[in-house]
Amino acid sequence: WNKEVNTTDPKYYKWTQWIFKRLYGTWFDEDQQKGRPIEELPIPADVEAKGKEEVRKYKDGKRLAYYADRSLERRQPRKVRHQGSGTP
């Protein structure tokens, strides 16, 4: 190997932390088709009326850092048919 990646090196992981913080503090505004700071996220009145814990849950559900997790939950498993065997 000519190159080695050391993920415990502070010069390396500072960038992964930086990008995660950027994603964590961002939500996707579908109307504007861009990411916006989580502080600008409009909270529906019914969520706000339920208290701080519900507001936190609502914000966490909108954060880009967790967007991929939500999309994976919605996927349906597919059956794979093996060629030649005739069985799924």
Side-chain angles (χ1 to χ4, degrees):
W1 296 91
N2 292 347
K3 301 282 182 181
E4 179 181 353
V5 175
N6 180 359
T7 58
T8 62
D9 182 354
K11 292 177 189 171
Y12 176 86
Y13 69 76
K14 78 175 184 178
W15 294 111
T16 57
Q17 289 176 340
W18 177 81
I19 191 69
F20 180 80
K21 287 177 185 179
R22 296 284 304 221
L23 290 172
Y24 187 76
T26 305
W27 65 285
F28 185 72
D29 185 341
E30 292 192 20
D31 294 333
Q32 294 185 10
Q33 290 294 300
K34 68 177 188 176
R36 293 180 50 198
I38 200 77
E39 295 83 26
E40 297 176 6
L41 176 66
I43 308 296
D46 62 321
V47 173
E48 208 159 7
K50 293 178 184 177
K52 289 182 181 181
E53 182 65 21
E54 289 301 313
V55 169
R56 184 191 61 78
K57 287 179 185 177
Y58 181 80
K59 284 184 176 183
D60 285 348
K62 298 290 184 177
R63 292 182 191 275
L64 283 181
Y66 302 120
Y67 185 77
D69 292 340
R70 287 193 312 274
S71 66
L72 287 175
E73 290 172 5
R74 287 181 281 198
R75 288 187 184 173
Q76 297 294 323
R78 297 182 308 165
K79 290 184 178 181
V80 177
R81 185 172 295 254
H82 299 283
Q83 294 227 347
S85 68
T87 58

